[in-house]
Amino acid sequence: IPRPARSALHRQFGEILLGRGESAAAAAGHLLEAASPGDRTSLAGLDGAAAELLPSAPQTAARLAQRALELTQPDDPAVLCRSVAAAEALTAAGRLEPAARIVRQGLAQPLPVAAEARFRCALATILCASGQPEQARAQAEAVLAQPGLPAGLRDAAVTARLQALAGWPADAAAQRLAAGVLHAPGQHSSQAVAAALVARALADWDNGQVSQALEQLHEAARQGRAVAADARGAQPLLALAAGLADLGRYGEAEKVLQAIDGETLRGIPARAVLSILAARLRLARGDLAGAATVARAAVADAGAAHGYASLGRSVLALIALRQGDLAAAAQHLADRGAVVPHLAACYARSAVRLAHAELAGASDGPAAAISHLGGAWAGLRHRPGILLGQPGIPAWLVRTALAAGQPDLAAEVAQAAGVLARGNPEMPAVTVAAVHSLGLLNQDPALLADAAAQHTDRWARASAAEDLGVLLAGQASKEQAIARLTEAMAGYGQSGASADMARIRRRLRGLGI
């Protein structure tokens, strides 16, 4: 069939489907084939199909909306509406670069209030995924400052602002906004309610209220879609899996990940989080090669979402540090850019906060490691939850602070770990981390022995055994020290931590082995 006749048939078929009440999605394929520049009937059909498909199939909606915009003449009155629709659909589909181009072109001209607000909401999501949360927050706040916005548009701005503030869970503005949504959830979209619950959960986590934070994430997952195909929405199930991994509850985290359909996330930045979390679980099992493979996949999946890509590179840096490859770790971290709190960082807190410090410690000593932490631990007494991320973090910090000649910092870390343990007695990983850090601070062999027996994380258990071995060697208990260091060597071997194994060999040679 000649092309003009074929296009005419597709157009007629699309119009028949629409005319008898079929969904715009059913007619979309025909309208897309028929559409030509200035063909208002077909383009209007594409508009309807894109709008209908956006909530459930943003990838298809983005293709339709973008094509409709491409075929719209510059002087067509519909060009602004189609620009806004294309920007929103492309953002929802995770296609950040073409979305950003349309948004910036649109904002370069005077606009009606609603159109400007929709552009700025899309830009807030783009900036947030790109690791620029402060700029994202400014865009969302500019929208919320407009009076008389429709409820749906205001909810979109609220969601964007909460996402931008996710890296600062203690931020008072974020918590006021979340509280306002949760005070009257029936007046807001499920997407806004889910974002508010996630924001509240992150704040509870920082405050050390771990059980309450997990319940908030469970509740967020019950709001609408637990896993959103729309890149603009919160991802409570992914946040829940990350929290379980932070607590060393790897089996539970793996079950959550297995329940997530990866196809739902295909094409959007959150798809990278599946690989990041899989890398963390493999790292905990000692499969460093497998962890590196999936972390590299996360960087590839992230694409232009630089915040997510930087998180993948942080995980790769931690893997390289375990293997003793400082040059590779430095290269991964050099690609990350500035270290700032951002949304993606919530999925691997320890990678973001400690990768630079661990590299500095391995390269230049404990004082350099402490200096790289900067003000990250300011207010630790009131925000003990920042110690969560890996079961061995509090002990690592105490050990590093003591080696750097900062006993006050070491005591503050151990005290904060104790606050966490007392507030969460049902969390074994939290309580044993407190025991380990206090044993290091007080040089107490009984506490270190308890930690070596109770840690469920392989690397943390080996670390406690090493700490005990070093203490016993200093007390001239040579045979016991050798036994504990040998135990640590086996644990590090199971964790794939070749750099730590090399250190144990040096310690054993010092004891004549």
Side-chain angles (χ1 to χ4, degrees), residues 268-279 291-305 307-313 315-316:
I268 65 175
R271 179 67 180 80
V273 177
L274 279 180
S275 297
I276 288 166
L277 295 177
T293 298
V294 290
R296 283 191 288 270
V299 174
D301 284 338
Y308 292 82
S310 72
L311 187 58
R313 293 190 187 102
V315 174
L316 285 169

Side-chain angles (χ1 to χ4, degrees), residues 161-169 174 198-199 202 341-343 346:
R161 190 180 183 196
L162 288 171
Q163 298 276 75
L165 290 169
W168 288 273
V198 171
L202 293 175
H342 53 78
L343 173 62
C346 302

Side-chain angles (χ1 to χ4, degrees), residues 222-470:
R222 290 190 284 267
Q223 296 292 323
R225 293 176 177 269
V227 180
D230 189 330
R232 299 170 297 177
Q235 299 290 352
L237 267 190
L238 291 176
L240 176 61
L244 293 169
D246 286 351
L247 295 170
R249 292 160 62 171
Y250 304 123
E252 293 176 66
E254 194 155 12
K255 287 181 181 178
V256 172
L257 292 181
Q258 289 171 351
I260 295 173
D261 180 10
E263 287 301 312
T264 302
L265 300 173
R266 186 166 297 281
I268 65 175
R271 179 67 180 80
V273 177
L274 279 180
S275 297
I276 288 166
L277 295 177
R280 291 185 60 194
L281 296 179
R282 293 192 182 199
L283 180 59
R285 292 198 299 265
D287 179 12
L288 270 64
T293 298
V294 290
R296 283 191 288 270
V299 174
D301 284 338
H306 304 302
Y308 292 82
S310 72
L311 187 58
R313 293 190 187 102
S314 294
V315 174
L316 285 169
L318 288 177
I319 294 168
L321 286 169
R322 288 276 179 95
Q323 295 172 323
D325 192 342
L326 300 189
Q331 183 176 359
H332 292 309
L333 293 177
D335 292 336
R336 285 183 60 222
V339 180
V340 295
H342 53 78
L343 173 62
C346 302
Y347 299 112
R349 296 167 182 84
S350 58
V352 170
R353 288 175 174 152
L354 294 180
H356 269 296
E358 289 194 21
L359 176 61
S363 303
D364 303 313
I370 294 298
S371 69
H372 265 282
L373 291 173
W377 310 109
L380 184 59
R381 191 173 306 169
H382 306 292
R383 298 175 59 211
I386 63 175
L387 292 177
L388 299 169
Q390 286 180 5
I393 284 179
W396 182 87
L397 284 167
V398 170
R399 187 185 310 113
T400 305
L402 290 173
Q406 297 195 36
D408 290 344
L409 176 58
E412 186 176 357
V413 172
Q415 182 180 7
V419 169
L420 273 177
R422 289 190 294 275
N424 301 278
E426 74 286 3
M427 302 285 180
V430 176
T431 55
V432 71
V435 170
H436 190 174
S437 57
L438 190 62
L440 269 173
L441 180 69
N442 296 333
Q443 295 292 281
D444 187 325
L447 290 178
L448 291 175
D450 285 346
Q454 295 173 25
H455 266 305
T456 55
D457 179 86
R458 291 175 179 175
W459 187 90
R461 186 167 61 246
S463 173
E466 180 184 3
D467 290 329
L468 179 55
V470 170

Side-chain angles (χ1 to χ4, degrees), residues 469-489:
V470 170
L471 179 60
L472 292 171
Q475 295 176 347
S477 302
K478 181 178 177 180
E479 295 303 321
Q480 294 182 54
I482 290 171
R484 288 299 188 173
L485 291 174
T486 303
E487 178 186 333
M489 170 78 83

